[in-house]
Amino acid sequence: MPSKKLSVLIVEDEPAIAETLIYALESEGYQVAHVGTGAEAIEHVETHVPHFVVLDIGLPDITGFEVCREIRKTAEVPILFLTAREGEIDRVVGLEIGGDDYVVKPFSPRELTARIQAILRRTQRKLPSRENSEGETILSGRLSLLLDRYEARLDDKNLDLARYEFGMLKVFLAHPGRVYTRDQLMELVWDEPDSASDRTVDAHIKTLRKKIHEVDESFEPIRTHRGIGYSFHAEV
């Protein structure tokens, strides 16, 4: 079950399937919205960007492929296609235009929720806070992240961070004050968490602190919690 209320938009014109999906996802702790047409889906994503979209291909107004193309113009939200077609061409087209997965009807609600959870785990490592990433910038105290430029700044001075240092800082800035264990940081930041270790996390924290100190030696936003992990505090 998600640790916090993540939002899922279901785009499905068949009431019975929509009701099944809504029940399954709400039972897993997700906040669910439902629309029945492609036009409604595009409008919803423009005004309320969800964390995930379950998108039927066979909609009454436009195809799910067209909806996906429109969504991809403004949002990088993960998309899972639903379809009654089993053709390989549909599958390839769906994934090539920006879909993250593809499920053929009839399907098991348990399998579908498991796929959603797997996709969210993968994509949230890249972007741990969708709310804070709007506009491609995360701000917290004296620090700012320009996501589209992959750039971190302290008082407008570039920190020149390596990939995993940048990833950890994204996690910290998304939830200042929260204590993250080393395992949580590995899960959120590393592409293959099993390839990292406690020492790997500690080493990257050390270099991240060093680069912050090169700009301001007295600035100590990252706190160590012995035997647990680390937390970030914007105002220190």
Side-chain angles (χ1 to χ4, degrees), residues 8-104:
V8 178
L9 173 64
I10 296 172
V11 188
E12 171 60 65
D13 63 315
E14 296 184 44
I17 294 177
E19 289 175 10
T20 299
L21 289 170
I22 292 169
Y23 177 80
L25 291 169
E26 288 184 342
S27 296
E28 290 293 327
Y30 294 98
Q31 179 181 332
V32 182
H34 169 241
V35 297
T37 68
E40 290 175 314
I42 294 167
E43 182 180 0
H44 182 97
V45 173
E46 287 177 348
T47 56
H48 304 89
V49 181
H51 293 88
F52 201 97
V53 176
V54 178
L55 177 58
D56 187 21
I57 291 176
L59 297 170
D61 53 347
I62 58 177
T63 70
F65 294 147
E66 293 174 274
V67 175
C68 180
R69 290 189 184 97
E70 289 301 312
I71 289 175
R72 281 287 172 262
K73 292 178 181 178
T74 59
E76 289 300 319
V77 54
I79 296 173
L80 182 146
F81 285 110
L82 296 179
T83 183
R85 310 170 193 172
E86 296 190 41
E88 179 67 17
I89 293 177
D90 279 346
R91 182 179 187 278
V92 172
V93 170
L95 299 180
E96 283 183 348
I97 66 172
D100 294 88
D101 206 346
Y102 192 99
V103 174
V104 177

Side-chain angles (χ1 to χ4, degrees), residues 37-219:
T37 68
E40 290 175 314
I42 294 167
E43 182 180 0
H44 182 97
V45 173
E46 287 177 348
T47 56
H48 304 89
V49 181
H51 293 88
F52 201 97
V53 176
V54 178
L55 177 58
D56 187 21
I57 291 176
L59 297 170
D61 53 347
I62 58 177
T63 70
F65 294 147
E66 293 174 274
V67 175
C68 180
R69 290 189 184 97
E70 289 301 312
I71 289 175
R72 281 287 172 262
K73 292 178 181 178
T74 59
E76 289 300 319
V77 54
I79 296 173
L80 182 146
F81 285 110
L82 296 179
T83 183
R85 310 170 193 172
E86 296 190 41
E88 179 67 17
I89 293 177
D90 279 346
R91 182 179 187 278
V92 172
V93 170
L95 299 180
E96 283 183 348
I97 66 172
D100 294 88
D101 206 346
Y102 192 99
V103 174
V104 177
K105 302 175 186 177
F107 55 85
S108 161
R110 181 176 294 181
E111 177 192 359
L112 186 135
T113 55
R115 290 198 186 195
I116 290 174
Q117 289 165 0
I119 293 169
L120 283 170
R121 282 195 298 270
R122 184 174 72 243
T123 57
Q124 283 189 301
R125 291 186 199 127
K126 300 176 183 177
L127 189 56
S129 175
R130 292 184 175 275
E131 297 90 341
N132 288 340
S133 68
E134 185 174 352
E136 300 301 321
T137 301
I138 300 177
L139 299 172
S140 187
R142 299 169 59 189
L143 283 156
S144 61
L145 298 185
L146 286 70
L147 301 182
D148 56 340
R149 300 183 187 179
Y150 216 81
E151 191 172 292
R153 295 178 179 175
L154 172 59
D155 295 338
D156 291 326
K157 295 181 180 178
N158 193 352
L159 294 177
D160 193 23
L161 300 184
R163 175 184 178 186
Y164 294 123
E165 296 159 7
F166 187 90
M168 285 195 295
L169 196 56
K170 276 201 297 186
V171 172
F172 287 139
L173 265 63
H175 298 284
R178 174 177 170 178
V179 178
Y180 288 92
T181 66
R182 292 171 176 82
D183 285 343
Q184 288 172 330
L185 289 171
M186 285 186 280
E187 180 69 24
L188 288 167
V189 177
W190 270 257
D191 293 332
E192 297 181 6
D194 292 341
S195 68
S197 67
D198 288 358
R199 290 185 177 180
T200 304
V201 173
D202 293 343
H204 282 81
I205 289 289
K206 182 178 179 179
T207 57
L208 178 56
R209 281 173 165 157
K210 179 181 177 181
K211 290 178 181 181
I212 289 173
H213 291 162
E214 286 173 356
V215 175
D216 184 345
E217 189 174 355
S218 65
F219 189 46

